[in-house]
Amino acid sequence: MSAVSQPEFAVPRSPARRAAQLFFRTPSGVVGLALVLLVVICAVFAAQISPYDPVKYLPADRMQGPSVRHWLGTDLYGRDLLSRVIYGSRISLSVSILSVSFALIVGGLLGALAGFYLKWVDTLIMRLTDVLLAFPAILLAIALLAFLGGGFWNLTLAIAVAFTAPFARVVRAAVLRSREAMFVEASTALGASDARLLWRHVLPNSLGPIMVEVTLRLAYAILGEAALSFLGLGTQPPAPAWGQMIADGRPFLELNAWISVAPGLAIMVTVLGFNLLGDALRDALDPRLGR
């Protein structure tokens, strides 16, 4: 007797696997991930990659253009621009990661409470975010730095405060979508507490838009750090901050434009990488896209 063939059933893909497959099918997402990894590698291994000390003065080599010895040239004090750009990635990434993390924790907590409890809690928190959103982010950061003073930690705090309200809005919207799901109603019927519903069911199923917002805010934080450093409100010299490097090279654009062009290109590549990464993540995590 011939064996009876059994019907084959396709194994459904897990959401994580599906999102990963969709992401790596997107060329722009792969390019963005590669650019971000390049900047991260430069920041982590700056001491091993940089050919020169970024703050060491070399008067004999001042104001040189790109050459075999100095690939991106040198600045007014003879400091190697490639080394300063590489070390500058540490400052930009550190400020952006710390500020976005702080804004995500505080703003995410406020947004989760507003979206889950609604009523007077939602009204109070949203009116607070309205006050913060009434000020342009860069002006709010400048006002805080004018009060606190410049420096790495004050710059990080100022950017974090400016980003807290947008994170609260995004998390609230994501929680509002998840709190009405059937699994939340089932957990409520089984007697789950509010804390368990929020941290075990609602927030984990709201990670998609939150992750996308994180990547985009990292790009905005890098731009904000560069702008504030350009105005002299960020990390102080001789630290190689990209914005400060652009400001230092502004008077010498006709003599050696690379003093400003090199850090400007670094900012462009980093922000482009995070934007491409965020766009690809948005498409990969949207359940309405792909098969």
Side-chain angles (χ1 to χ4, degrees):
M1 296 178 61
S2 60
V4 179
S5 60
Q6 298 293 328
E8 295 182 359
F9 298 94
V11 178
R13 292 178 295 174
S14 66
R17 182 181 178 185
R18 170 194 165 278
Q21 290 177 344
L22 287 175
F23 176 85
F24 285 105
R25 288 177 187 171
T26 308
S28 61
V30 175
V31 172
L33 179 62
L35 293 178
V36 171
L37 288 178
L38 175 63
V39 177
V40 171
I41 290 173
C42 289
V44 174
F45 299 103
Q48 290 75 29
I49 297 175
S50 300
Y52 297 92
D53 185 337
V55 297
K56 183 178 181 180
Y57 290 0
L58 299 172
D61 295 336
R62 61 191 300 270
M63 300 294 289
Q64 292 186 6
S67 63
V68 176
R69 185 179 177 187
H70 300 283
W71 289 7
L72 295 180
T74 59
D75 64 4
L76 177 64
Y77 304 103
R79 297 173 296 192
D80 181 68
L81 288 176
L82 177 60
S83 300
R84 290 181 63 78
V85 167
I86 292 174
Y87 270 91
S89 63
R90 283 187 171 181
I91 296 176
S92 291
L93 286 183
S94 297
V95 170
S96 61
I97 291 174
L98 289 173
S99 60
V100 170
S101 298
F102 178 86
L104 175 61
I105 293 172
V106 178
L109 177 61
L110 293 175
L113 294 175
F116 189 78
Y117 288 106
L118 298 177
K119 298 183 180 179
W120 69 268
V121 176
D122 181 41
T123 302
L124 177 62
I125 293 176
M126 287 301 100
R127 297 299 77 78
L128 177 61
T129 60
D130 287 341
V131 173
L132 293 176
L133 290 172
F135 299 92
I138 189 67
L139 292 182
L140 178 59
I142 290 175
L144 290 173
L145 288 172
F147 176 75
L148 298 173
F152 178 87
W153 291 108
N154 289 341
L155 174 63
T156 301
L157 179 61
I159 296 176
V161 172
F163 286 173
T164 298
F167 268 116
R169 289 280 186 174
V170 170
V171 174
R172 174 183 178 271
V175 169
L176 283 175
R177 286 193 295 268
S178 298
R179 71 189 298 270
E180 303 298 336
M182 293 297 295
F183 60 85
V184 175
E185 294 182 5
S187 298
T188 304
L190 292 174
S193 63
D194 288 350
R196 181 178 179 83
L197 287 174
L198 186 59
W199 301 112
R200 294 292 299 276
H201 300 288
V202 175
L203 283 179
N205 287 278
S206 306
L207 288 180
I210 296 174
M211 290 176 61
V212 174
E213 183 70 12
V214 166
T215 58
L216 296 178
R217 287 293 159 184
L218 285 170
Y220 295 152
I222 289 172
L223 287 174
E225 184 275 333
L228 294 170
S229 295
F230 180 85
L231 297 174
L233 298 174
T235 306
Q236 300 303 306
W242 288 341
Q244 182 64 46
M245 292 172 63
I246 295 176
D248 291 343
R250 184 176 54 175
F252 309 103
L253 288 176
E254 294 183 359
L255 297 176
N256 186 4
W258 279 98
I259 300 176
S260 293
V261 169
L265 289 175
I267 295 171
M268 183 197 72
V269 168
T270 307
V271 173
L272 176 63
F274 278 113
N275 282 331
L276 293 177
L277 181 61
D279 289 342
L281 280 177
R282 179 198 59 201
D283 296 340
L285 295 172
D286 191 339
R288 295 169 297 180
L289 300 177
R291 293 189 294 274

